[in-house]
């Protein structure tokens, strides 16, 4: 799924794994190579015959042949000398070429290597048939200035050269862009910047820096960047930091009142690019930094109107909640607004009874009884855990009345101990509309159900407000 999605973005080469690693890795690489993708499928290889044989068995088009080139790696890791390593690089390049493979000859730890020795390895590799070269900043110590100087030199070699950066000092994107400006023909990148230690260069950052700041278009479908990011995060189990550039949850989220006020006048005031450009949407959230503009916008979304004095009162109450360290959810805002405006809207969906059974010999099962628009509804559900079972039962019970999608779920322990008060925060969506809600109890199951119920009732009320 990931390979197909990356291919649909328009990348040129997919390094699908290292064939020598395991049976599972080989099976995955072979399946990807057999998918008929547009991208060239590549396997990572050490300068060892068994690595190349494993890659050949996976039907890949090319190999990324990695040669340790720093004295530290040559002496401490390989226990060899420079000449022996150069000879190994030539021999394995010739072997791979004799089996019909494209070869990208890569200098590992190149940023700590002697540049003249590195060039001698590259030139020997080119003479042996290498199609491309690669410079690896294996421990992320390049600076943009040094990267530019190095690639101004290496780009004069007889084969195209690529840049492979790690992000140990947070410089991977800057170094990659500097290398490209100096003549590098290819960049090694990963989705979300995932990779060893602090990660590798982020594809979405490089593509958008080139597009927006250097006015250089690539073949990459930029509208697919966010959906690709989400897919990789979900399937790899590696979350994206909220403050991650381009694809992080907060990248196009605004709270501060001065920002929102500017955005309402012109979105360019506090956004370097529009979220739609990368397949995203703008979000305005509420908190202690929110101002009147945010509240007016949120009240409009809720279908409520208020006087200037009432808006001021709502802002003060909302900031008080934020000052206590709490997230200000849509449900919080509506409760505050209804109190200030003297409105009380009775919940359309009420919980009457919930029973959950779980253990190491039974699948977690929940039964729930609700009162929905005055009618009693009883439903049951199963799940991977007791919370999942309870939420599934709840969603089945309100199906048809409020078909909601649970988009996000967060749990925080407010107090310590086994009887800790937990706060559950959820984001729900229905028909293109999203809402956030919170539940707080010592029972995580009840807190979760309470949060989802709160969100469901608010979504129903919003819909009714818009229709009236």
């Amino acid at each position: 799924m990931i390979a197909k999605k990356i291919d649909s973005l328009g990348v040129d080469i997919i390094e699908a794994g290292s064939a020598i690693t395991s049976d599972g890795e080989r099976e995955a690489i072979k399946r990807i190579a057999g998918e008929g993708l547009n991208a060239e499928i590549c396997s990572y290889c050490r300068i060892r015959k068994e690595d190349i044989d494993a890659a050949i068995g996976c039907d890949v088009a090319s190999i990324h042949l990695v040669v340790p080139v720093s004295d530290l790696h040559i002496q401490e890791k390989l226990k060899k000398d420079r000449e022996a390593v150069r000879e190994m690089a030539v021999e394995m390049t010739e072997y791979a070429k004799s089996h019909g493979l494209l070869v990208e000859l890569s200098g590992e730890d190149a940023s700590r290597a002697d540049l003249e020795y590195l060039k001698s390895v590259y030139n020997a590799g080119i003479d042996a048939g290498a199609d491309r070269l690669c410079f690896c900043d294996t421990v992320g110590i390049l600076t943009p200035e040094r990267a530019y100087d190095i690639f101004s030199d290496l780009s004069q070699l007889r084969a195209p050269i690529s840049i492979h950066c790690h992000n140990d000092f947070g410089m991977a994107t800057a170094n990659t862009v500097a290398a490209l400006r100096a003549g590098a023909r290819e960049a090694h990148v990963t989705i979300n910047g995932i990779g060893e230690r602090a990660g590798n260069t982020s594809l979405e950052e490089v593509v958008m820096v080139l597009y927006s700041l250097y006015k250089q278009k690539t073949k990459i479908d930029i509208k697919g960047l966010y959906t690709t990011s989400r897919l990789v995060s979900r399937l790899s189990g590696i979350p994206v930091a909220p403050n991650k550039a381009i694809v992080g949850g907060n990248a196009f989220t605004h709270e501060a009142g001065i920002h929102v006020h500017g955005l309402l006048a012109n979105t360019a005031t506090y956004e370097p690019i529009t979220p739609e450009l990368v397949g995203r949407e703008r979000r305005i959230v509420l908190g202690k930094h929110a101002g009147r503009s945010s509240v007016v916008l949120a009240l409009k979304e809720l279908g409520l109107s208020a006087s200037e004095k009432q808006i001021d009162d709502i802002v003060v109450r909302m900031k008080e909640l934020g000052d206590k360290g709490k997230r200000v959810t849509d449900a919080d805002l509506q409760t505050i607004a209804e109190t200030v405006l003297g409105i009380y809207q009775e919940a359309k969906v009420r919980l009457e009874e919930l029973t959950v059974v779980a253990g190491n010999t039974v699948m977690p099962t929940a039964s729930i009884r609700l009162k929905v628009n005055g009618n009693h509804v009883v439903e049951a559900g199963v799940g991977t855990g007791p919370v999942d079972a309870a939420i599934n039962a709840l969603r089945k019970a309100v199906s048809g009345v409020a078909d909601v999608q649970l988009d996000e779920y967060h749990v925080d322990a407010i107090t310590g101990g086994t009887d800790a008060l937990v706060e559950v925060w959820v984001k729900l969506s229905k028909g293109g509309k999203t809402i956030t809600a919170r539940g707080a109890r010592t029972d995580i199951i009840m807190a979760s159900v309470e949060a989802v119920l709160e969100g469901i009732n608010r979504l129903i009320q919003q819909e009714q407000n818009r229709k009236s």
Side-chain angles (χ1 to χ4, degrees), residues 423-465:
E423 181 180 71
V424 174
W425 182 89
V426 298
K427 183 168 83 170
L428 304 171
S429 60
K430 179 180 185 290
K433 295 293 180 181
T434 61
I435 196 166
T436 53
R438 183 179 63 242
R441 298 234 184 173
T442 55
D443 183 335
I444 189 173
I445 301 172
M446 286 303 299
S448 303
V449 170
E450 184 180 81
V452 175
L453 269 177
E454 183 73 31
I456 287 171
N457 279 304
R458 296 301 178 186
L459 281 167
I460 293 172
Q461 288 172 8
Q462 276 192 37
E463 199 168 27
Q464 290 177 344
N465 289 338

Side-chain angles (χ1 to χ4, degrees), residues 309-327:
K309 185 176 182 304
Q310 287 171 329
I311 290 171
D312 290 338
D313 193 2
I314 291 168
V315 170
V316 169
R317 295 186 189 213
M318 189 179 64
K319 286 180 181 290
E320 286 175 354
L321 197 60
D323 280 334
K324 293 176 182 176
K326 294 185 179 293
R327 302 173 191 249

Side-chain angles (χ1 to χ4, degrees), residues 77 144 251 271 358 374 437 467:
K77 188 172 75 172
E271 287 177 347
K467 289 178 180 178

Side-chain angles (χ1 to χ4, degrees), residues 114-145:
D114 174 65
L115 194 58
E116 290 308 311
Y117 172 68
L118 175 64
K119 287 195 284 187
S120 76
V121 172
Y122 283 155
N123 282 318
I126 293 170
D127 291 340
D131 301 277
R132 302 187 294 263
L133 308 171
C134 178
F135 181 104
C136 292
D137 182 25
T138 303
V139 291
I141 61 168
L142 275 182
T143 62
E145 296 82 6

Side-chain angles (χ1 to χ4, degrees), residues 269-289:
T269 52
Y270 288 101
E271 287 177 347
I273 59 174
T274 62
E276 293 79 11
L277 199 61
V278 292
R280 302 199 58 178
E281 293 181 355
R282 181 179 299 105
R283 285 182 61 216
I284 295 174
V285 297
L286 303 168
K288 63 185 292 184
H289 300 106

